[in-house]
Amino acid sequence: MSRKHKQFKGAEVSCCVKYFLFGFNIIFWLMGAAFLAIGLWAWAEKGVLSNLSSITDLGGFDPVWLFIVVGGVMFILGFAGCIGALRENTVLLKFFSVFLGLIFFLELTAGILAFVFKDWIKDQLNFFINNNIKAYRDDIDLQNLIDFAQEYWLCCGAHRPDDWNLNMYFNCTDQNPSRERCGVPFSCCVKDPAEDVINTQCGYDVRRKGVLDRQNHTYIHTHIYTKGCVGQFEKWLQDNLIIVAGIFVGIALLQIFGICLAQNLVSDIKAVKANW
């Protein structure tokens, strides 16, 4: 009887929980590794890895950081959860739970602060966009990100097309020798359904005073978007509030589920060790 009782006690670690947590985290581990690989490859292509000081040279935001940071977090979490579950290592499982709990707490805090300090967030978003407008031509990834945002939200600049005066290539000063002077990027242009090929020069000269006066101020409204990206982003959030909230709630529930699984497995492992 005592032998049978000990065998029952020795099988307390739930294989279902153990391998579900392992499979769940190995996916995150591989995804994190892929994100990191893409980020490092992008930096290698831009020569950043051969000159690390250039990381701080860019005046705007480098989108590669998203891949590096998100990939790094996913890789560390995936590794701790995967190896912790497979090897029944309580240290790694506790690290996984605490790290995931910390991320959840930071997300919750950020959400509350964003709701309470809406105006401050709006000002920071405005500053962020204008700062990146200045660095538009400095980094191809940043350029692609801004173009995508303006095309997706049908906007131009932070608040208006004239925000592109902040960029040295698009400003309207007489000292600007650029062919793009007093223009906007092609992503500000209203797309013509009849055109199969994107006209990358469609934004040339659209903000020149002469052009606007001669066309009775209709040219700029007909050919480019006049609404700012801050306002359009706000409108998009309001229109898709349920979807956005659903995504955040889903992520939060997934994190809580992961913490509960890890803590459950730690309890099982401790219970088994207590009977050795």
Side-chain angles (χ1 to χ4, degrees):
M1 288 294 292
S2 62
R3 183 179 297 176
K4 288 182 180 179
H5 182 68
K6 284 182 179 179
Q7 286 175 348
F8 173 77
K9 285 288 184 181
E12 279 188 9
V13 173
S14 173
C15 290
C16 193
V17 172
K18 175 179 176 179
Y19 289 108
F20 186 84
L21 191 63
F22 169 75
F24 180 77
N25 279 285
I26 200 167
I27 294 171
F28 266 75
W29 192 8
L30 294 173
M31 285 177 64
F35 271 57
L36 273 174
I38 292 169
L40 293 172
W41 171 78
W43 269 355
E45 286 292 302
K46 293 192 288 188
V48 173
L49 295 181
S50 58
N51 182 21
L52 293 178
S53 61
S54 62
I55 292 176
T56 57
D57 291 343
L58 181 63
F61 171 70
D62 187 352
V64 176
W65 274 111
L66 282 175
F67 287 92
I68 297 293
V69 174
V70 173
V73 170
M74 289 177 68
F75 185 85
I76 293 169
L77 270 176
F79 174 82
C82 180
I83 303 302
L86 187 66
R87 304 295 298 172
E88 297 182 8
N89 188 309
T90 55
V91 175
L92 285 176
L93 287 171
K94 286 178 181 178
F95 172 79
F96 172 82
S97 298
V98 172
F99 197 2
L100 201 56
L102 180 62
I103 292 171
F104 174 76
F105 175 75
L106 290 174
E107 288 171 349
L108 187 63
T109 304
I112 294 170
L113 291 176
F115 180 77
V116 174
F117 300 103
K118 289 180 184 176
D119 292 335
W120 182 82
I121 293 294
K122 191 173 179 180
D123 290 340
Q124 292 303 307
L125 181 61
N126 178 48
F127 173 78
F128 176 77
I129 293 174
N130 282 334
N131 196 47
N132 285 294
I133 282 174
K134 294 177 186 177
Y136 177 75
R137 291 293 190 205
D138 297 347
D139 183 81
I140 188 63
D141 294 321
L142 175 61
Q143 185 175 311
N144 289 334
L145 180 64
I146 292 174
D147 285 334
F148 170 78
Q150 292 190 144
E151 287 178 326
Y152 184 79
W153 284 303
L154 309 179
C155 57
C156 190
H159 290 289
R160 61 190 68 84
D162 281 338
D163 288 336
W164 282 97
N165 277 328
L166 294 168
N167 187 277
M168 61 184 293
Y169 298 101
F170 294 100
N171 72 64
C172 288
T173 57
D174 294 333
Q175 293 77 26
N176 183 10
S178 172
R179 177 62 188 87
E180 295 175 311
R181 177 174 171 261
C182 257
V184 291
F186 74 92
S187 53
C188 283
C189 298
V190 177
K191 300 298 178 287
D192 185 353
E195 288 185 353
D196 295 327
V197 180
I198 296 174
N199 179 11
T200 56
Q201 298 180 358
C202 61
Y204 283 16
D205 303 324
V206 296
R207 294 187 299 113
R208 281 188 188 275
K209 194 75 173 177
V211 171
L212 294 177
D213 290 340
R214 190 164 58 251
Q215 300 293 335
N216 296 317
H217 297 271
T218 58
Y219 186 90
I220 195 168
H221 292 282
T222 305
H223 289 75
I224 69 169
Y225 305 118
T226 55
K227 293 180 180 179
C229 291
V230 173
Q232 289 294 89
F233 177 67
E234 254 187 314
K235 182 178 179 297
W236 178 84
L237 272 182
Q238 291 170 359
D239 293 342
N240 298 276
L241 189 60
I242 295 175
I243 297 172
V244 173
I247 291 170
F248 278 103
V249 169
I251 292 171
L253 290 175
L254 204 62
Q255 290 171 331
I256 293 170
F257 182 61
I259 293 169
C260 290
L261 279 179
Q263 288 301 109
N264 188 29
L265 190 56
V266 168
S267 298
D268 285 354
I269 292 167
K270 285 183 176 180
V272 170
K273 287 183 177 179
N275 289 284
W276 282 0

